[in-house]
Amino acid sequence: MRFANRMKTLIQNYANTESTEPLYICESLNDLEGEEANIWTPDGSSAFDAFDTTKPDVFITHFGYLTNDILKYLSQNNNIELLVNVTGATQDVIDQLDDIVDSSGINCPFVFYNSPSAFNTIKQRKTKMINIMLGADIYLSKQSVETPEYKADLAVISNYTVKGRLSDITDGFDVHHFLSTNQELANEVDIVAPTMHLYGLYGKYENILVTQDTQDIPQVLFDSILYGKNVFFLPKYESQKDKMYEVLDSSLKAPLPLIDTDPKEEWEEKALAVKNKVLSSHTCLSRVKRLASKLQNKDLVSKIEKKIKDLQK
């Protein structure tokens, strides 16, 4: 067995304002007995130093962070399995990466993207491609994030300019705030913060509405469900609703309350059912479980399943 004792994983830090994926993969693995994971920030050391120091079995990165040095090292050490997050890549980039892996003899079992498979438009080539959605980061609370003391009725978390657009909803709440992870909206919202810090505000709101102009399921949705109370999702465009709600219901296996149509007395019951589904199937542990399953690491899958059960207690 490839991972008879433990799997050593090196993860390049490709976290951004919208996702803590590399960080929560590392935390999840290190939270399991016998596993070892390290985060590598390129500013701290060279690729060759990072690989020589950690001696990983698996290396995880994002396509935008791949360098010639990384590819050279992996081509000379094909005992290391390369996993690449290709979220945001064009078909040309996928094709180029596929050619490099094939011609260099790099050991790449699969690449993955974060959107639901129903929204993927990129075609697989020789290298297998799977989806691993973003998940709720159960380790965010390990940070020390200072937040002001307040309570409010509604938070609207968006990735686009939303003020005035949802007045028919926001006017129904005495105190509401607009939040975003997008720094470009700093002059248009009340609070801008990266995903890893925004979680500290979720408990201050009785209701949270996540609205996006893109067809995907952002980490802030899963995080707000985990750390918040009543959580809703609303696509920007009416034409997106049917498909988005279909994908959300299929993924969550429980319908989110609908802020614009469901009676308020149903919100809390639906929100609790969704939170339980997130705990069982949509935290970072479940995402690492899927990764381990695709690596055919049965021992790691078993450890994670036990951890997920403990999380639900």
Side-chain angles (χ1 to χ4, degrees):
M1 294 176 62
R2 290 176 300 160
F3 309 115
N5 297 314
R6 65 177 178 178
M7 185 176 77
K8 297 176 66 176
T9 306
L10 178 63
I11 307 160
Q12 195 166 15
N13 188 3
Y14 56 89
N16 55 38
T17 60
E18 299 177 359
S19 165
T20 59
E21 182 180 68
L23 305 177
Y24 69 53
I25 291 176
C26 187
E27 290 279 4
S28 297
L29 291 171
N30 284 330
D31 209 13
L32 301 168
E33 185 177 355
E35 302 302 321
E36 179 184 336
N38 291 281
I39 279 284
W40 167 45
T41 301
D43 292 343
S45 62
S46 69
F48 279 70
D49 286 344
F51 284 115
D52 286 342
T53 301
T54 60
K55 296 179 171 55
D57 302 299
V58 176
F59 174 60
I60 302 174
T61 188
H62 185 276
F63 80 90
Y65 289 72
L66 281 171
T67 65
N68 289 333
D69 281 350
I70 291 172
L71 295 170
K72 181 179 180 180
Y73 192 97
L74 293 173
S75 68
Q76 297 171 352
N77 297 270
N78 63 6
N79 58 303
I80 301 173
E81 294 184 313
L82 168 67
L83 308 181
V84 185
N85 184 325
V86 294
T87 301
T90 62
Q91 189 64 58
D92 284 344
V93 170
I94 295 295
D95 294 346
Q96 291 170 17
L97 178 59
D98 196 72
D99 289 341
I100 291 171
V101 167
D102 186 47
S103 62
S104 302
I106 292 173
N107 182 358
C108 183
F110 59 85
V111 298
F112 64 97
Y113 56 89
N114 293 138
S115 64
S117 56
F119 296 139
N120 177 52
T121 59
I122 301 298
K123 295 180 180 179
Q124 175 180 300
R125 298 309 187 193
K126 290 182 181 179
T127 306
K128 185 176 181 180
M129 181 166 21
I130 66 169
N131 81 306
I132 300 179
M133 292 195 302
L134 296 171
D137 188 340
I138 65 173
Y139 301 101
L140 289 176
S141 57
K142 293 176 69 174
Q143 302 176 91
S144 177
V145 178
E146 293 186 9
T147 59
E149 288 295 329
Y150 68 90
K151 290 290 182 181
D153 301 308
L154 175 69
V156 178
I157 306 175
S158 69
N159 67 347
Y160 65 93
T161 302
V162 72
K163 279 189 175 179
R165 191 181 185 94
L166 299 177
S167 57
D168 55 330
I169 292 175
T170 57
D171 287 352
F173 297 88
D174 291 336
V175 181
H176 61 269
H177 297 149
F178 294 96
L179 286 65
S180 184
T181 60
N182 185 353
Q183 190 62 42
E184 293 180 3
L185 298 179
N187 294 326
E188 302 181 38
V189 299
D190 300 301
I191 301 171
V192 173
T195 297
M196 66 171 58
H197 295 155
L198 204 59
Y199 89 95
L201 302 179
Y202 295 146
K204 300 180 184 296
Y205 296 93
E206 196 65 30
N207 305 284
I208 298 173
L209 171 61
V210 178
T211 178
Q212 302 276 302
D213 60 3
T214 51
Q215 286 192 304
D216 60 15
I217 304 179
Q219 184 179 327
V220 292
L221 179 63
F222 292 117
D223 284 345
S224 59
I225 291 171
L226 180 63
Y227 294 102
K229 297 177 183 176
N230 300 325
V231 178
F232 313 86
F233 185 86
L234 188 67
K236 179 180 181 180
Y237 302 107
E238 188 70 28
S239 60
Q240 296 173 324
K241 280 187 175 181
D242 288 347
K243 188 62 176 180
M244 276 303 308
Y245 290 152
E246 177 187 339
V247 171
L248 276 170
D249 289 352
S250 175
S251 298
L252 294 171
K253 301 294 189 293
L256 279 166
L258 301 177
I259 196 169
D260 51 349
T261 58
D262 284 349
K264 289 186 177 182
E265 53 267 25
E266 293 182 6
W267 288 0
E268 189 173 340
E269 183 180 351
K270 284 189 173 182
L272 181 59
V274 170
K275 179 171 291 193
N276 289 333
K277 289 295 183 182
V278 167
L279 284 169
S280 65
S281 304
H282 294 287
T283 69
C284 51
L285 292 174
S286 292
R287 303 307 185 238
V288 177
K289 175 187 170 183
R290 178 165 171 76
L291 185 151
S293 175
K294 295 301 180 181
L295 286 174
Q296 300 178 26
N297 188 335
K298 294 180 180 179
D299 181 59
L300 180 53
V301 168
S302 179
K303 290 179 185 178
I304 298 172
E305 287 176 342
K306 183 179 184 304
K307 198 76 176 176
I308 292 172
K309 287 181 181 178
D310 291 341
L311 185 65
Q312 295 174 263
K313 292 178 180 177

